[in-house]
Amino acid sequence: MRSSSPTRSGSARTRSPAAPGAPKATPVVRRTGNRFSVNAMSALSACGRMHFMVFTESFDAKAMCRFLARLAGHFDHKVHLIVDRHSAHRSKTVRTWLADHKDEIELHFLPSYSPKLNPNELINADLKRSLPHTHRARNRAALAAETPQILPPPTAPAPPHIVTGYFKAPHVR
């Protein structure tokens, strides 16, 4: 007959006792617990310029037309903008706006389901990586005010090596 041991091989757990005087309370991180977000649109040029818009409403054709108008206003020549196939980019409202401004801006579409070809996705990734470490926003309006602080201000150009770096990513080239 076999004798049984109180613990089977490999299943015994050993715990080190708590250090004398160690705090027993769980650390508390002060957050509201509320989840909120803002939207951001950006446009990059291969020569190092970045334009962006942060907004709290949903991304739709109206927001796209507002961004296109702002973007076209920054240049004295026709802008060729490469976009993905989001429904707002292809909407009737945007097509009508583009027809009225065909000398100012023209859209070119990336292939369907190709986010890796879009350098703006790298900006989104940078924002999502940077924002949680720097923001202290307690509501949507505060987050919208803080988000542009991570991106370069519209009045001062971004360091060109950063912007052109988005185009040099192997899957974007």
Side-chain angles (χ1 to χ4, degrees), residues 46-113:
C47 50
R49 290 184 72 177
M50 179 190 302
H51 298 272
F52 64 91
M53 180 175 84
V54 177
F55 53 101
T56 56
E57 65 273 9
S58 62
F59 176 53
D60 57 10
K62 183 179 170 185
M64 180 65 179
C65 288
R66 202 168 75 239
F67 181 68
L68 292 173
R70 287 180 59 180
L71 188 61
H74 284 281
F75 296 94
D76 56 355
H77 56 82
K78 187 173 184 174
V79 175
H80 293 270
L81 188 62
I82 300 170
V83 297
D84 60 18
R85 294 187 177 270
H86 189 281
S87 59
H89 299 155
R90 297 176 288 116
S91 70
K92 184 176 181 180
T93 304
V94 170
R95 287 194 314 258
T96 302
W97 189 94
L98 289 167
D100 293 341
H101 299 86
K102 61 183 169 202
D103 294 335
E104 298 173 53
I105 197 160
E106 184 178 342
L107 298 186
H108 304 276
F109 293 93
L110 287 169
S112 297
Y113 305 107

Side-chain angles (χ1 to χ4, degrees), residues 8 20 26 29 34 36 61 79 91 96-97 99 102 111 114 117 122 125 130 139 143 172:
R8 289 181 283 161
T26 303
V29 177
N34 297 335
F36 46 86
V79 175
S91 70
T96 302
W97 189 94
K102 61 183 169 202
S114 57
L117 299 178
L122 298 173
S130 301
N139 57 44
L143 182 60
V172 174

